[in-house]
Amino acid sequence: MKIIIRTFKLKLKHTFTISRESHDIQPTLIVELQSEGFSGFGEATSNPYYNITVDSMRAHLEAIIPFIESHNDETPEEFWDSASALLKNDMFALCALDMAYNDLYAKKKGKKLYELWGNSPLHNPKTDYTIGIDKLDKMVMKLKEMPWPIYKIKLGTKDDIAIVTELRRHTDARFRIDANCGWTVTETINNAIALKKLGVEFLEQPMKADQWAAHKEVFKHSVLPIIADESCIAEEDVAKCHNHFHGVNIKLVKCGGLTPARRMIAEAKHYGMKTMVGCMTESTVGISAIAHLLPELDYVDMDGALLLSEDIATGVTITDGIIHYADSNGIGASLINR
């Protein structure tokens, strides 16, 4: 098995702002695994919050090339177990590798990845579309630019209720709120009351990740469901989130790929929690991989490629929140002009 590593700078349509950062360019790393005439693709983006760069991911992957090239026939689960021991300090790089291996493995089996897992896409959830923090008139403009059935609205400002009130004037769509750790307990409980009246479905990670007593308090008193994001990074975090959150938002790059994500989804269901997978402004490579988890999810946030001014790949397509799979096997993604 041969590995090819590529890096790209993905340009966004608009400056993307959340409670702690803004950016116009999203660096990303693409892994291609080649074997027996097939190619599998995987992706992981850089992330300053977790001190991840495309250069650090490349270095960690290049350091284990002998390992990668000596493996070929294991199941994705077996491959992940071996690779995770070597990339235990870089879940992002592990994600790109695991994603590519799952894609390659399914192509060798002549199946789409969801088919290999025995799933049906008949009841897939729709994806939301994200409106980042901006001046209010620009947030309204972004909403009108992309009519959509579900919006995720980034908050964490002093005027959050006023923002949602104004946005509600322009659409009847379902709203989801992501405060990215920007609120206190009191703000969360009080904001939930106002936001429920404004047609908000749930709140995502309103407080800082390690404030477990605060999460417990909000879990008891919020009139809206609370979904963990920054508090649910790795597999061991699902149990911690039980009775502190109503659901978990799993990010493939944070947990190390599709393989551990499926285990986390199963564990969350065991605890009676809602399941969600989110994206990190990936290209259509990463978004196509997320799409195959849809039959196992209650919610999904996979609009990353829609936020780009120019994509680097083809694969799944999205119209009005509905995901359409590519005809090809595996995750269905291919790089453009590779």
Side-chain angles (χ1 to χ4, degrees):
M1 184 164 63
K2 179 183 178 182
I3 181 172
I4 300 172
I5 303 169
R6 301 178 178 88
T7 60
F8 298 89
K9 292 183 178 179
L10 306 176
K11 186 177 180 181
L12 278 62
K13 291 179 182 176
H14 302 289
T15 299
F16 189 75
T17 300
I18 62 175
S19 62
R20 58 176 177 259
E21 65 182 73
S22 297
H23 59 276
D24 297 290
I25 299 291
Q26 176 60 69
T28 195
L29 178 141
I30 302 291
V31 166
E32 179 180 357
L33 295 178
Q34 297 178 340
S35 176
E36 301 174 21
F38 296 98
S39 284
F41 295 95
E43 180 174 14
T45 58
S46 67
N47 193 296
Y49 184 76
Y50 295 99
N51 296 314
I52 298 294
T53 67
V54 291
D55 290 337
S56 66
M57 287 188 284
R58 177 189 284 276
H60 292 148
L61 288 167
E62 288 178 344
I64 64 166
I65 285 178
F67 159 81
I68 294 169
E69 293 186 341
S70 67
H71 287 69
N72 196 37
D73 297 322
E74 298 96 334
T75 66
E77 293 77 17
E78 292 169 337
F79 182 76
W80 190 91
D81 287 343
S82 299
S84 63
L86 301 175
L87 291 170
K88 58 185 177 182
N89 295 320
D90 193 341
M91 292 294 102
F92 283 60
L94 179 59
C95 169
L97 184 61
D98 172 78
M99 196 182 290
Y101 193 88
N102 270 277
D103 185 25
L104 179 65
Y105 187 83
K107 285 175 178 172
K108 287 182 176 181
K109 298 293 184 181
K111 294 184 177 181
K112 292 179 170 59
L113 192 54
Y114 73 78
E115 293 173 334
L116 190 67
W117 292 338
N119 290 332
S120 167
L122 291 179
H123 303 290
N124 282 355
K126 294 181 179 180
T127 182
D128 53 42
Y129 181 81
T130 304
I131 307 294
I133 296 172
D134 209 325
K135 292 180 180 178
L136 187 50
D137 61 335
K138 288 188 176 181
M139 294 180 76
V140 172
M141 179 271 292
K142 292 175 186 176
L143 185 147
K144 290 183 176 181
E145 179 182 85
M146 185 68 79
W148 212 251
I150 313 167
Y151 291 103
K152 176 190 272 194
I153 303 165
K154 296 285 188 175
L155 296 179
T157 76
K158 294 181 292 184
D159 303 308
D160 286 340
I161 303 303
I163 289 171
V164 180
T165 299
E166 177 61 20
L167 294 180
R168 175 51 74 205
R169 290 182 58 244
H170 301 275
T171 180
D172 293 325
R174 195 183 321 163
F175 284 169
R176 297 166 179 172
I177 300 301
D178 186 358
N180 283 114
C181 310
W183 292 346
T184 64
V185 170
T186 300
E187 285 176 321
T188 303
I189 293 172
N190 290 340
N191 286 348
I193 295 170
L195 292 170
K196 184 176 183 180
K197 296 176 182 177
L198 290 167
V200 169
E201 184 176 21
F202 61 72
L203 307 178
E204 185 179 332
Q205 196 69 48
M207 296 169 299
K208 292 182 179 179
D210 59 353
Q211 296 181 339
W212 292 101
H215 297 316
K216 184 76 169 183
E217 187 72 9
V218 167
F219 176 78
K220 290 179 180 178
H221 299 290
S222 173
V223 298
L224 286 175
I226 310 295
I227 308 296
D229 182 358
E230 284 87 348
S231 293
C232 189
I233 305 300
E235 293 186 61
E236 60 268 21
D237 294 330
V238 176
K240 294 179 186 177
C241 289
H242 181 226
N243 288 330
H244 290 80
F245 294 89
H246 301 89
V248 293
N249 182 6
I250 299 162
K251 302 288 181 65
L252 303 188
V253 291
K254 297 179 186 179
C255 71
L258 292 162
T259 300
R262 295 190 71 221
R263 294 195 292 257
M264 293 172 74
I265 292 166
E267 185 175 5
K269 289 181 177 180
H270 169 76
Y271 287 121
M273 303 171 73
K274 293 293 186 179
T275 57
M276 179 178 181
V277 164
C279 64
M280 305 288 282
T281 323
E282 296 95 335
S283 75
T284 290
V285 172
I287 298 304
S288 293
I290 291 172
H292 290 264
L293 293 168
L294 289 178
E296 305 177 25
L297 302 177
D298 296 298
Y299 316 119
V300 70
D301 171 33
M302 50 179 292
D303 64 339
L306 298 176
L307 304 177
L308 304 178
S309 63
E310 186 176 359
D311 207 340
I312 60 169
T314 58
V316 299
T317 56
I318 305 173
T319 54
D320 296 324
I322 299 171
I323 290 81
H324 307 279
Y325 293 96
D327 291 333
S328 52
N329 291 326
I331 64 172
S334 294
L335 291 181
I336 299 171
N337 299 324
R338 66 183 176 94

